[in-house]
Amino acid sequence: MALYLGIDLSTQGVKAELIDPDNPEIKFGGFSVNFGADLPEYGAPDGFVSNPDPLIRVADPAMWLDAIELLFARMHDSGAPLGEIAGISGSAQQHATVYLKKSFPQVLEKLDKAKTLSEQIVPCLSRRFSPIWMDRSTTCECKELESRFGDRLRLETGSPAVERFGAAQIRKFAKESSDIWRDTATVHLASSFFTSVLCGVPSPIDYGDGAGMNLLNLKTLTWDAEIAEFSAPGLLDKLPKAAPSATVAGNLSPYFTKYGFRAGTPVAVWSGDNPNSLIGVGAGEPGIAVVSLGTSDTFFAAMRDFRTDPDGYGHVFGDPAGGFMSLICFTNGSLAREEIRKKCGISYAEFDQITPIPENENLMLPYFVPESTPLVLRPQVQCNFDWEKASANERVRALLESQILSMRLHSTWQNEKIRRIRVTGGASKSAALLRIIADVFQSEVETIAVANSAGLGAAIRAANAIDSMPFEALYRNFCAPIATTYPNSKQKSRYMRMLEAYRKLETAT
Ligand code: XUL
């Protein structure tokens, strides 16, 4: 038996997926730790330290370290065969930066089993807290980056300057705390920080997650010296190497034998949660797009060639299976669905029972909170029909159709022929939404049974990177679709008309 472990450090907690490629039907049980419920002493029920300024969102790396140890302890206590693991990798929330002093490598090398990780590693943090992907306090630094580099940022790093990305975050910190910045030897991402902790040696940043920093030139796959130096003095020397996602970073540190792991177990570099999810839903090859319907909705897909969104809304990250992936985030996903459901005074079941209205081409721009695609800073809701006179059926239909039309409109730039769409996330249970996605994209829509795609993706990546197991075989075993919704070709011309009308409505706003 050769097992592979995928660890998923998300915003809310840590989970583990353990897989046996020879016996995919064996389930090892869901292992998880929730920051709020299991580590209440950190006072971070949502995964970040509370702050009266809603733009500031930082998390405590000590909490992450304690959570990983608790996860391993739980796995060990429940009898999980940790000694039989042949390879480990992981997934971390993207964009979180971790600032370390020069003592970090020496401390890693001599981790003492009698102490905890947090006790030993916290003194190595030059900046006590890590800004996470929810932090939006760096608009000023984004403007500075944009005025210095203009469109080169988008064309070469895959995204225009983005508040949560490393360049703006590091720039703000180096400006505000120049002394601590001088004392910082290395800036890791959460993903490379954890690879380093597991291996006991500093690890590279993989292309998948590194692309979410505005610092990696995606044409050369090397750090951009000019952007790095402008972001913060000496930054280039403080960045770990950038490396392919299939890099085996090292072997598990003897520290972890205290949980029953085998010292020396190979560890593949961790990546970000979105690149891992691409693999975990079996979409590492171009042709399958993924729609994830969560609090916000995301659309992502593998791209073999490097292309960027001319409108600047979409991002490009590395695809762990090679090449690149697009990622487009629609902030008002389930948030808007929930608001409209409440405004219509209907239940979830009624919301999902909307019936087709063939002649009706109603549209809605549902920005209940600021929207990222398209960029809308001031929340507003607009309809091209009379809301007061419309029935609940008409209102819900206008919302769902508009959300999916927006997804279609803003994903064309990635220019890969989409053969199938895989839908995940809470709202993927909605038959009405699956039907609309199939008809708007005129594509087959598949649902899959994977619950933790990021963790599963990490386990699959470990098997691929460490023992050269082909992705295709792993996808077949672990990410097979369970149901398919076929497109209705009769809806094609209606949706083509509505797509154009939606584009005009959005542009006019
Ligand atoms: C992607 C992003 C989030 C985080 C947290 O750009 O900010 O998806 O990775 O999940």
Side-chain angles (χ1 to χ4, degrees):
M1 179 160 69
L3 305 178
Y4 297 89
L5 173 65
I7 305 162
D8 170 29
L9 173 81
S10 72
T11 316
Q12 278 86 24
V14 197
K15 289 186 184 150
E17 296 295 326
L18 198 50
I19 60 168
D20 179 352
D22 294 329
N23 299 290
E25 66 291 344
I26 297 182
K27 301 277 174 270
F28 290 93
F31 307 100
S32 67
V33 169
N34 178 277
F35 298 138
D38 295 312
L39 297 167
E41 62 274 27
Y42 284 99
D46 298 311
F48 52 83
V49 181
S50 81
N51 194 303
D53 183 345
L55 299 180
I56 296 182
R57 290 287 177 258
V58 298
D60 190 344
M63 176 179 76
W64 296 340
L65 290 165
D66 283 357
I68 286 241
E69 294 219 70
L70 183 55
L71 178 81
F72 290 165
R74 284 184 177 169
M75 294 180 81
H76 175 256
D77 294 348
S78 73
L82 302 187
E84 290 176 49
I85 291 175
I88 303 173
S89 189
S91 163
Q93 52 173 295
Q94 291 198 255
H95 317 297
T97 37
V98 186
Y99 301 72
L100 293 143
K101 297 181 195 164
K102 67 172 190 303
S103 55
F104 185 50
Q106 287 94 57
V107 168
L108 284 183
E109 208 187 313
K110 300 204 185 81
L111 284 175
D112 177 355
K113 280 201 270 186
K115 297 180 181 162
T116 65
L117 287 176
S118 60
E119 260 177 279
Q120 299 175 80
I121 293 172
V122 167
C124 303
L125 295 171
S126 57
R127 180 180 184 178
R128 185 62 188 75
F129 294 96
S130 289
I132 63 166
W133 65 280
M134 299 165 98
D135 189 285
R136 285 196 286 140
S137 64
T138 61
T139 304
C140 161
E141 287 71 25
C142 286
K143 288 197 176 125
E144 290 165 352
L145 281 156
E146 286 288 340
S147 72
R148 170 70 179 80
F149 296 105
D151 219 19
R152 182 160 99 72
L153 280 174
R154 175 181 67 84
L155 293 171
E156 296 189 352
T157 73
S159 305
V162 182
E163 274 86 351
R164 62 190 189 280
F165 281 33
Q169 289 291 342
I170 297 167
R171 181 168 173 79
K172 176 172 174 243
F173 179 65
K175 281 198 308 192
E176 287 177 354
S177 312
S178 53
D179 288 353
I180 309 181
W181 175 246
R182 268 193 296 278
D183 198 27
T184 301
T186 311
V187 184
H188 274 289
L189 287 176
S191 56
S192 60
F193 172 67
F194 272 99
T195 318
S196 309
V197 170
L198 289 186
C199 296
V201 287
S203 148
I205 290 181
D206 88 304
Y207 298 152
D209 212 12
M213 299 183 85
N214 275 145
L215 291 169
L216 190 66
N217 186 313
L218 296 182
K219 293 184 171 160
T220 60
L221 293 173
T222 55
W223 298 120
D224 190 301
E226 226 187 335
I227 303 176
E229 191 54 32
F230 178 80
S231 299
L235 173 57
L236 191 61
D237 296 332
K238 301 182 195 231
L239 288 171
K241 256 181 58 192
S245 311
T247 305
V248 179
N251 301 318
L252 192 66
S253 152
Y255 176 85
F256 297 96
T257 54
K258 75 192 218 186
Y259 298 109
F261 285 100
R262 220 171 13 88
T265 306
V267 179
V269 283
W270 286 35
S271 187
D273 56 352
N274 293 298
N276 274 295
S277 284
L278 185 77
I279 301 300
V281 299
E285 301 302 316
I288 306 179
V290 186
V291 170
S292 168
L293 302 166
T295 311
S296 31
D297 294 340
T298 48
F299 177 101
F300 51 96
M303 300 190 289
R304 275 298 160 260
D305 300 322
F306 175 54
R307 251 182 243 110
T308 59
D309 179 1
D311 294 329
Y313 303 133
H315 304 302
V316 184
F317 300 138
D319 172 355
F324 304 92
M325 66 178 281
S326 60
L327 180 120
I328 310 151
C329 182
F330 303 85
T331 321
N332 279 275
S334 288
L335 271 165
R337 291 189 281 276
E338 179 59 7
E339 286 296 327
I340 295 291
R341 185 189 70 77
K342 282 197 282 191
K343 279 189 194 304
C344 293
I346 55 176
S347 66
Y348 288 106
E350 286 165 327
F351 186 91
D352 198 38
Q353 271 159 18
I354 54 160
T355 48
I357 315 169
E359 301 313 320
N360 173 315
E361 299 188 1
N362 289 344
L363 294 169
M364 186 190 295
L365 300 179
Y367 310 135
F368 288 91
V369 293
E371 179 53 66
S372 8
T373 311
L375 186 66
V376 178
L377 296 174
R378 238 171 303 125
Q380 51 174 303
V381 179
Q382 262 194 50
C383 305
N384 71 350
F385 61 96
D386 187 342
W387 168 271
E388 295 305 330
K389 288 199 187 129
S391 64
N393 193 30
E394 285 170 317
R395 292 169 176 181
V396 173
R397 203 159 180 90
L399 167 74
L400 299 186
E401 292 189 326
S402 300
Q403 286 189 316
I404 305 307
L405 287 165
S406 176
M407 225 174 239
R408 168 112 200 234
L409 182 70
H410 293 292
S411 59
T412 46
W413 61 270
Q414 50 138 35
N415 205 26
E416 292 287 350
K417 183 135 186 55
I418 294 168
R419 286 180 282 111
R420 277 171 291 152
I421 298 179
R422 292 208 164 155
V423 184
T424 67
S428 64
K429 291 189 190 75
S430 160
L433 259 171
L434 297 177
R435 158 73 31 231
I436 294 171
I437 297 171
D439 290 349
V440 167
F441 281 88
Q442 287 293 303
S443 157
E444 285 178 21
V445 166
E446 296 171 338
T447 42
I448 46 172
V450 174
N452 174 13
S453 55
L456 175 62
I460 290 178
R461 286 181 43 246
N464 172 267
I466 292 156
D467 285 320
S468 309
M469 293 194 190
F471 279 121
E472 272 310 318
L474 293 160
Y475 294 158
R476 257 197 315 279
N477 281 341
F478 294 103
C479 337
I482 49 169
T484 306
T485 306
Y486 294 92
N488 175 357
S489 58
K490 291 200 184 106
Q491 288 290 328
K492 189 173 174 180
S493 54
R494 173 171 173 268
Y495 279 126
M496 290 312 281
R497 271 196 314 279
M498 286 179 76
L499 188 65
E500 188 48 26
Y502 179 85
R503 194 183 59 73
K504 286 195 179 131
L505 182 67
E506 193 189 275
T507 319
T509 308

